Amino acid sequence: MAKKITDLTAQQKKMVGVSATVQFALAGLALADIWRRPAAEVRGSRALWSAACAVNFIGPLSYFIFGRRK
């Protein structure tokens, strides 16, 4: 059974907050890069990469590793 936020210790709440902040920052940076970068410099569809950014950590990191042409 999943824990409620009220069941977490102060340290666990802090880690959830830090993880959420990192996730949103990565997604925001990836989305900004996807739409500012010329289409010729993005491998694949911008729409698919944008959707992939919704996948926690994996989507934005995958874009930065595999989705950009140098």
Side-chain angles (χ1 to χ4, degrees), residues 14-59:
K14 184 177 179 181
M15 289 308 298
V16 168
V18 169
S19 297
T21 301
V22 170
Q23 166 59 29
F24 284 119
L26 275 174
L29 290 170
L31 288 170
D33 189 73
I34 289 167
W35 292 103
R36 288 183 184 156
R37 186 175 291 271
E41 293 182 15
V42 176
R43 289 189 179 110
S45 165
R46 287 179 172 182
L48 289 176
W49 279 117
S50 295
C53 285
V55 179
N56 291 341
F57 297 102
I58 295 169

Side-chain angles (χ1 to χ4, degrees), residues 5 9 17 23 25 33 40 52 69:
I5 195 77
T9 65
Q23 166 59 29
D33 189 73
R69 296 181 197 269

